[in-house]
Structure formats: C-alpha cells, structure tokens
C-alpha cells in the first residue's frame, strides 16, 4: 500500500539526504540517475529488487535505444546480439527491412535479456556517482506542509530530497500515492512472452514480427498487435505477442493460449511448439502508452518511462522512451536545482511537461489514431494484405512505427512523417 507521510518545514538540498531521489532502477531510473550524477547532483537510486532480476520484456532494442546506451557510455560490442532491421511476416509476404541510414540514430539494433541489461545500466549509474540501494522498497511520498514532495518513505525509513523522480514502472505506485491515476482515454496494450531454446533461430540478425494474430474464438478476425521472435544469441529466443485495447476481443482473449496457438503454427524445427524447449513460464504485463499518466511534473515529482505512460503506441517499444525521458528529466533537474527553491525553480521544473509534449505529443496523438484504426479487424486485414507487397511503403511504415527519422535534412519520408507529427495537436 502506498502511504503518504509529512515532514515539517521546507527541505532544501543543503539539509536533505540527496539532491534527487530516483524511485526504481529500470532503464528509465538508471538513465535519469546516470545523467544527473554525471552533472554533479547527489543522487539516491532506490530499487526494490536485487540485481540481477528478471523483467518481463521482449528484450528488443531499436536504434533509438542503442543511441541512449551509447550516451551512457555502454560498450555494445560484447554480450549483445546485433540486428540489422525488422523482418515482417504477414499477408503471405516475408519482408526484410533494414534500419534506416540516418544522421540521428545508429543503423543497428540489439537484444539482451533484461536479467542483466537492467543490472548493467544500474551499475553504470553507480559508476557515475549515483548511490544505488537495492532491496529498498519505496512505500510512498513524503510531503512538506505545502503538499509538495520532500522525499520518500521506504520500508527502512524515510529519505529527503527537493526532487523525486518516479521511475517505478507500469504500476506507478508512487504517482498513485500523489493521486495521479492512469488516464482511461489513452491506448494500453497487454503483452506476454516466453523464452525457448532454439538453436535454429537464436542468432537471427533481424528482429522478426508476425502481423497476423487470430484468436481461437474467431479465426476470421485479425487482432491489433503482433507476435515477435527475437534471437538472444545465447541459444534461446524471446517469443511473445502484444495486443492493443482497441479491439472488441481485448480483455476477453486468453493471451497465453494465443501465444501457444500461434507458436503451434511455426515450423517444428524451430522448436517453439515443443514444451521441452521452453525456458521458464509465460509471463505478461501491461504496456502503458501515449502519456497515459499526466502531468509528468507536479509538486516536486517527475515521472519517467512507464510510470508516465510513455510506451510508443505504434510498436510497443518502451525502453528507449524510458531512457530518453530519464535523460531529459536530468537535463531539466540540473538547471532547476541550480536555482533557489521557490518559484524560479518550479518554473524550470514545469518545463518538463512542455518539453515532453513537444517531443512526443504529436507522434503519440498519431499513435492513438493508428491504434483505433487497427482495432477494426477489416482495417488490419486490408493494411496487411495491401501494404505488405510494397517494400517502399513498408520502409515508410518502419520509419513511422519505430519513430526513426532525421529532424532536419532527412529524406522525403522523414519530411512527411515529421510534418504529420507537427500538424496534429499534441496529446
Ligand atoms: C511482454 C513485454 C514485452 C516488451 N517488449 C519490449 C521490447 O522488446 N522493447 C522495448 O523497448 N520495450 C518492451 N516492453 C516495454 C518495456 O519493458 C518497458 O517500457 C520498460 O521496461 C520501461 O522501463 P521503466 O524504467 O520505465 O520501468 P521498469 O523497467 O518497469 O522499471 C521499474 C523499476 O522500478 C522498480 N520499482 C517499482 N516499484 C518500486 C518501489 N516501490 N520501490 C523501489 N523500486 C520500485 C522495479 O523493481 C523496476 O526495477 C515490453 C513490455 C512487456 C510487458
């Protein structure tokens, strides 16, 4: 249960335990902590679990996420499996689409299990100077007499800081403790995944996605979502599927069974329809999309990553957005905390809301429209059947869905996508 406690007086960085407390050491929290510590802030990074720990995920990283790893000085040569792009299967077509060549992003993606990916990032934050405490569950916000957050309570006691970053994932217990509930008018997805031993598929140099998911109840209707097979390079693949809430079938479908049924249709030599090759259970979680929790800054708290509902509605990618928002939160925090406590600092912190909207608001609005459209099985069928045979169109789709364009000086596709995200009003 989230609990709210109060402190007397206004805490300033001088007498507080840290300049910033970061709740949660997933990709969002570790990125925020790393960039803040690098700029000289005293950062306390609190994580409830002990590393290494499993996190339910597809383990797939697009060039957007790779860029963030590079920014954290992480060497992506050893222990990672590189991919060249996306293989899309649907409408009777199998298309290999390489990641675009851009000035702004690298031209490769990666996979790595979250088991050690998150550990690596947390260690990087600690190396940069953040104080990492694992096994430390934050139980709620600590408020000053004005109702502004002045720190956190944990099972081991409370810690004070003039700024808290909530990077506690989809459950968002910390923002919930401040009364920030999820918005029901934003898209949400559900995804499940499982590891299988598959010597045939483990070292694939493309991320693979299957567009035709059908529920057993009604084979004629396509579900809005996709299945994936991502090679992990360690003898295993991560296979899973994600479905959006815009279809009638949402909430009524047994996603674990859907996964088993889909894998039953894959070639037997891949080993994905044999229980003996499974490594662990099927696990699932929700995907909070399109800013489903706002405001992202209020009363001394910044929301980062899943806590602020930042998963991309077009493709279900969340790691890159968690890391990017972590970096942005750090940039803003560094400037804000250099100002005296009070209105000038609050003005700087409130800029986080506007900057996030400017970066992703239009794109997420488009994503919301896309989610609604493909929730109609006819639209999904027509798009798959008539889009897939056209490689140029699909290259455009890849850029749009993976949010990979150059903001300036890009090609015609980049210019169209950038213009589209600018003309729609931001969410
Ligand atoms: C099945 C599935 C597949 C996915 N596949 C992909 C994919 O292939 N690529 C991709 O980019 N995204 C994928 N996503 C989305 C991605 O997993 C998330 O968007 C991403 O993990 C968000 O990072 P985060 O740092 O915001 O939150 P999280 O990764 O959830 O990290 C939150 C951290 O906070 C800690 N925490 C929570 N509460 C507390 C507390 N009270 N006190 C202290 N610590 C706390 C947690 O233990 C955790 O370490 C997938 C999601 C699912 C469910």
């Amino acid at each position: 249960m989230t609990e709210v406690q109060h402190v007397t007086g206004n805490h300033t960085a001088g007498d507080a335990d840290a300049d910033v407390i970061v709740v949660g050491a997933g990709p969002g929290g570790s990125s925020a902590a790393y960039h803040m510590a690098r700029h000289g802030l005293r950062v306390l990074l609190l994580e409830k679990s002990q590393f290494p720990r499993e996190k339910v995920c597809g383990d797939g990283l697009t060039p957007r996420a790779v860029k963030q790893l590079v920014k954290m000085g992480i060497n992506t040569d050893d222990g990672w499996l590189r991919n060249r792009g996306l293989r899309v299967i649907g409408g009777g077509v199998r298309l290999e689409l390489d990641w675009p060549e851009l000035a702004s992003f690298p031209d490769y993606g990666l996979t790595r299990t979250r088991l050690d990916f998150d550990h690596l990032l947390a260690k990087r934050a600690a190396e940069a100077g953040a104080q990492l405490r694992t096994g430390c569950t934050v139980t709620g916000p600590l408020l000053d007499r004005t109702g502004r957050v002045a720190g956190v309570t944990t099972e081991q006691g409370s810690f004070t800081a003039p700024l808290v970053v909530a990077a506690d994932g989809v459950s968002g217990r910390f923002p919930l403790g401040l009364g920030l509930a999820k918005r029901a008018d934003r898209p949400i997805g559900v995804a499940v995944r499982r590891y299988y031993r598959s010597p045939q598929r483990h070292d694939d140099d493309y991320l693979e996605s299957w567009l035709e998911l059908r529920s057993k109840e009604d084979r004629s209707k396509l579900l809005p979502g996709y299945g994936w097979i991502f090679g992990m390079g360690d003898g295993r693949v991560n296979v899973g599927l994600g479905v959006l809430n815009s279809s009638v079938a949402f909430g009524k479908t047994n996603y674990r069974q859907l996964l088993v049924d889909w894998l039953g249709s894959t070639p037997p030599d891949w080993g994905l329809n044999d229980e003996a090759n499974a490594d662990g259970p099927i696990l699932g979680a929700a995907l909070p999309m399109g800013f489903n929790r706002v405001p992202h800054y209020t009363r001394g708290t910044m929301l980062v990553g899943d806590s602020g509902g930042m998963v991309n509605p077009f493709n279900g990618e969340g790691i890159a957005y968690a890391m990017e928002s972590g970096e942005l939160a750090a940039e803003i925090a560094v400037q804000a905390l250099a100002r005296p406590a009070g209105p000038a600092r609050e003005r700087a912190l409130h800029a986080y809301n506007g900057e996030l909207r400017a970066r992703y608001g239009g794109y997420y609005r488009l994503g919301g429209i896309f989610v609604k459209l493909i929730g109609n099985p006819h639209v999904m069928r027509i798009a798959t059947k008539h889009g897939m045979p056209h490689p140029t169109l699909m290259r455009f789709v890849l850029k749009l869905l993976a949010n990979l364009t150059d903001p300036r000086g890009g090609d015609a596709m980049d210019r169209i996508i950038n213009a589209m995200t600018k003309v729609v009003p931001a969410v």
Side-chain angles (χ1 to χ4, degrees):
M1 270 303 275
T2 306
E3 52 189 62
V4 178
Q5 286 188 12
H6 293 79
V7 289
T8 46
N10 279 319
H11 278 264
T12 59
D15 61 7
D17 296 315
D19 296 323
V20 186
I21 294 172
V22 180
V23 182
S30 289
S31 156
Y34 169 84
H35 291 290
M36 287 174 179
R38 286 252 304 170
H39 286 89
L41 294 182
R42 291 180 305 134
V43 182
L44 192 52
L45 175 57
L46 305 178
E47 166 56 47
K48 69 176 177 186
S49 54
Q50 298 284 359
F51 291 115
R53 60 104 178 86
E54 197 174 22
K55 156 78 178 83
V56 186
C57 189
D59 306 327
L61 302 168
T62 67
R64 260 198 113 85
V66 176
K67 179 171 181 171
Q68 287 303 314
L69 293 175
V70 171
K71 283 193 180 188
M72 284 181 71
I74 289 174
N75 179 339
T76 59
D77 291 339
D78 297 323
W80 307 79
L81 184 68
R82 275 191 186 215
N83 56 68
R84 302 168 49 177
L86 190 69
R87 182 182 307 112
V88 194
I89 294 168
V93 178
R94 186 175 174 277
L95 206 58
E96 284 182 350
L97 300 162
D98 285 1
W99 298 119
E101 288 175 8
L102 298 168
S104 313
F105 297 97
D107 63 355
Y108 68 98
L110 296 164
T111 57
R112 184 163 186 148
T113 65
R114 294 289 297 273
L115 186 73
D116 65 350
F117 177 82
D118 287 31
H119 192 194
L120 194 76
L121 264 55
K123 279 191 284 192
R124 204 64 199 121
E127 281 161 17
Q131 196 192 336
L132 170 66
R133 284 200 194 195
T134 55
C136 182
T137 300
V138 172
T139 48
L142 190 64
L143 303 183
D144 69 15
R145 59 185 153 72
T146 69
R148 190 184 185 283
V149 173
V152 304
T153 55
T154 77
E155 285 171 351
Q156 289 94 355
S158 58
F159 298 100
T160 56
L163 185 63
V164 172
V165 170
D168 51 350
V170 62
S171 70
R173 294 259 156 71
F174 195 85
L176 266 180
L178 291 170
L180 300 178
K182 286 179 190 155
R183 293 181 59 144
D185 61 343
R186 296 293 150 87
I188 192 150
V190 168
V192 294
R193 71 95 171 100
R194 194 180 205 183
Y195 294 105
Y196 282 85
R197 284 174 284 276
S198 176
Q200 297 82 353
R201 297 301 314 270
H202 86 109
D203 58 355
D204 197 348
D205 57 1
Y206 283 87
L207 297 178
E208 186 166 290
S209 78
W210 292 53
L211 300 185
E212 287 163 312
L213 295 177
R214 297 168 203 274
S215 77
K216 220 172 189 176
E217 291 74 39
D218 188 349
R219 305 284 308 161
S220 69
K221 293 207 171 92
L222 286 186
L223 295 171
Y226 66 89
W228 70 79
I229 302 175
F230 296 167
M232 299 311 302
D234 62 357
R236 297 179 302 161
V237 290
N238 178 322
V239 295
L241 57 87
V243 178
L244 295 157
N245 67 342
S246 52
S247 70
V248 180
F250 188 81
K252 298 181 200 141
T253 308
N254 180 339
Y255 300 105
R256 286 174 171 74
Q257 192 56 46
L258 188 64
L259 180 65
V260 172
D261 293 344
W262 165 50
L263 294 179
S265 71
T266 57
D269 63 320
W270 294 0
L272 309 180
N273 40 26
D274 184 349
E275 190 61 25
N277 294 325
D279 183 17
I282 300 177
L283 295 175
L287 298 166
M289 297 171 161
F291 288 161
N292 85 340
R293 187 180 275 117
V294 287
H296 291 115
Y297 172 75
T298 184
R299 295 158 58 199
T301 302
M302 298 171 115
L303 310 187
V304 155
D306 278 14
S307 191
M310 298 192 202
V311 171
N312 179 349
F314 283 106
N315 67 355
E317 176 182 20
I319 296 169
Y321 299 92
M323 296 180 73
E324 288 177 16
S325 56
E327 186 194 15
L328 175 64
E331 268 173 37
I332 288 182
V334 167
Q335 293 299 329
L337 293 175
R339 301 179 179 191
R345 180 182 290 175
E346 287 307 308
R347 215 167 21 253
L349 288 168
H350 275 286
Y352 185 58
N353 292 324
E355 191 55 39
L356 278 173
R357 277 189 90 217
R359 286 191 190 190
Y360 309 116
Y363 182 75
Y364 285 172
R365 165 81 68 182
L366 282 181
I369 297 168
F370 168 82
V371 166
K372 282 207 183 95
L373 282 174
I374 67 167
N376 179 336
H378 301 297
V379 176
M380 185 72 188
R381 190 178 57 79
I382 290 165
T384 308
K385 191 172 163 209
H386 298 288
M388 280 295 287
H390 302 285
T392 307
L393 174 64
M394 290 306 290
R395 269 194 288 281
F396 175 84
V397 171
L398 177 71
K399 282 192 161 194
L400 175 66
L401 269 53
N403 198 5
L404 290 171
T405 59
D406 275 328
R408 278 168 290 277
D411 63 12
M413 290 184 190
D414 294 16
R415 287 195 290 278
I416 294 170
I417 294 169
N418 296 339
M420 280 161 59
T421 62
K422 286 203 179 73
V423 292
V424 294
V427 288

